[in-house]
Amino acid sequence: MTSRGRSSISQHSRSISQYISTSDADELTDDELVKQVNELKHQIKILTLENEILEKCIMRIDPSLMHGILQALEYAFKLHGSSSSLNLGSFAKSTSKFGMLESLASPSRLLTSPSRISTRRVESSARMGTGIFAAGPKINVLERSELVSMEMEILVRRLERSRAKAARQQALLKAQLEELGLRSVEIEKATEAFNQQVIIEGWDKIAQRIPAEVWIRYMTDWFRVSDKEIGKLRLRTSTLNTQYTKLKGQIKVKAELSESLRPVDFEKLKIENQQCLELIESKLHQLAELKKMTGDANLNLAIHKKLMMEQNAYLMKVQKDILQKKQLVINLDKEREKIEDQADTLQDKYNDVKKVRLAYEVPDIMEYVRVKSEVADLRHVVKMLDNRFHVQQIALKSLNRKLHSMFFE
């Protein structure tokens, strides 16, 4: 709490009595009255917070102190009831009193929260000038600041505990939601499988029903799969229980060790931590050197890798050329074999022509003339024979016509 806030609280606590002690003859305008009411509401809010803090401190330190305060508040309530029959005068004065003593107007609120209402009554009655607590000790600004700091620390601790509890509850609910999600997915899969295998595929169109053996086979398979999954889950559960027991034992051992620790142990742990830090520092230095060496090695590796890639590219080119040359050699071998076959064929023809040429003799001219004359005579004889055959054919046809005409007549 700042000094400005502390001074404002003290000013508010002093100004209430001034507003209440205003004479009935004072006349206030509407704007002033509204402003005064708003200021009183603000002061009542601040005083309510102070009363709540005081009540919490008293209930935390010694709840039995609240009995005397309750009796004093009852006396103040009676005093307020007796003084209410007097002529209060102006509307502003009655409004301020009602705003300060609104907690005393309902007895049911006194029954529901006596401690809170009692503190409000103590503060209101003390500032009204009734004299009940006027002679008692007052709380200064430093004490108020200490009380507020203590209450803030307590509230922060409670908030942290509530936050941790809420986190655990949220984790539990999240796990339950995940479990329910998995269950719903499994149920949907089982329903779809049942509908597909039993209701759709198992329907007998002839008998118009689902055979019992389909149902029994489906249930048998389902129980077998379920038993297998249950076995896996049991094994996993036993493993988790073993791990939980182990971790629980470790936590128990650590708790026992923490109870038996001494300042010497902390000094020893500090020395060990210092040694470990030095070792870590040296290891980090070595790691930096290793990173430097690794960088150089990576650079050399990149250079050699580039050269190797170039050599591989040249090697692939050479291999490709070798394959092309091999294919060319194969084609040339085929052409050579074809040419050799053609050469053998031509050689055979040449040999035949050579034999014919060696065996061939040029005939005599007179012999050639004689042979040609005989050939011409033979051709003339063949032509005459053809003419004779043609004449005989014509004669045969005429005889056949005559014979035909003779028989039909």
Side-chain angles (χ1 to χ4, degrees), residues 329-369:
V329 168
I330 292 170
N331 295 329
L332 290 174
D333 290 337
K334 290 181 180 179
E335 291 180 0
R336 181 178 58 80
E337 292 175 356
K338 188 183 292 184
I339 291 170
E340 286 179 354
D341 294 337
Q342 292 178 0
D344 293 337
T345 304
L346 293 174
Q347 185 68 33
D348 294 336
K349 288 182 179 180
Y350 173 73
N351 293 329
D352 294 336
V353 170
K354 188 176 181 181
K355 289 179 181 179
V356 171
R357 183 180 178 184
L358 292 173
Y360 180 76
E361 292 180 357
V362 180
D364 191 12
I365 295 173
M366 294 303 294
E367 184 69 23
Y368 176 72
V369 171

Side-chain angles (χ1 to χ4, degrees), residues 141-254:
V141 176
L142 293 176
E143 292 175 349
R144 291 178 186 176
S145 176
E146 290 178 359
L147 292 176
V148 171
S149 299
M150 292 172 63
E151 289 298 325
M152 287 180 64
E153 291 177 358
I154 293 170
L155 288 175
V156 168
R157 287 198 295 270
R158 289 179 182 176
L159 180 61
E160 291 296 333
R161 288 197 297 268
S162 301
R163 188 176 295 170
K165 184 178 179 182
R168 290 194 297 270
Q169 189 70 21
Q170 184 180 4
L172 178 61
L173 293 175
K174 187 177 180 181
Q176 291 177 355
L177 286 175
E178 290 179 357
E179 183 182 0
L180 291 175
L182 293 175
R183 287 184 180 180
S184 65
V185 170
E186 292 295 332
I187 290 170
E188 290 177 358
K189 288 183 179 178
T191 305
E192 291 177 358
F194 177 78
N195 292 329
Q196 182 67 27
Q197 296 179 10
V198 177
I199 297 176
I200 298 174
E201 296 178 358
W203 179 260
D204 192 356
K205 296 181 180 179
I206 298 174
Q208 294 296 319
R209 63 184 180 86
I210 299 174
E213 56 270 13
V214 175
W215 168 262
I216 294 170
R217 184 173 63 253
Y218 175 78
M219 293 303 295
T220 304
D221 296 338
W222 187 75
F223 280 127
R224 184 173 63 254
V225 174
S226 299
D227 290 336
K228 188 182 294 184
E229 293 295 330
I230 288 169
K232 291 180 181 179
L233 291 174
R234 283 178 179 173
L235 180 61
R236 187 179 299 175
T237 305
S238 62
T239 305
L240 291 175
N241 288 330
T242 304
Q243 293 178 357
Y244 174 74
T245 306
K246 184 178 179 181
L247 293 173
K248 191 175 180 181
Q250 291 178 358
I251 291 170
K252 186 177 180 181
V253 170
K254 288 182 179 179

Side-chain angles (χ1 to χ4, degrees), residues 129-145:
T130 55
I132 298 173
F133 300 103
K138 295 183 179 180
I139 301 175
N140 56 19
V141 176
L142 293 176
E143 292 175 349
R144 291 178 186 176
S145 176

Side-chain angles (χ1 to χ4, degrees), residues 90-107:
S90 66
F91 176 75
K93 186 174 181 180
S94 61
T95 306
S96 64
K97 285 185 178 181
F98 178 76
M100 291 173 61
L101 301 176
E102 60 179 355
S103 62
L104 301 176
S106 177

Side-chain angles (χ1 to χ4, degrees), residues 4 114 267 284 286 291 313 331 334 366 377 399 407:
R4 184 179 178 181
E267 293 294 333
L284 289 174
Q286 293 178 3
K291 285 183 178 179
N331 295 329
K334 290 181 180 179
M366 294 303 294
D377 293 338
L399 289 174
F407 284 126

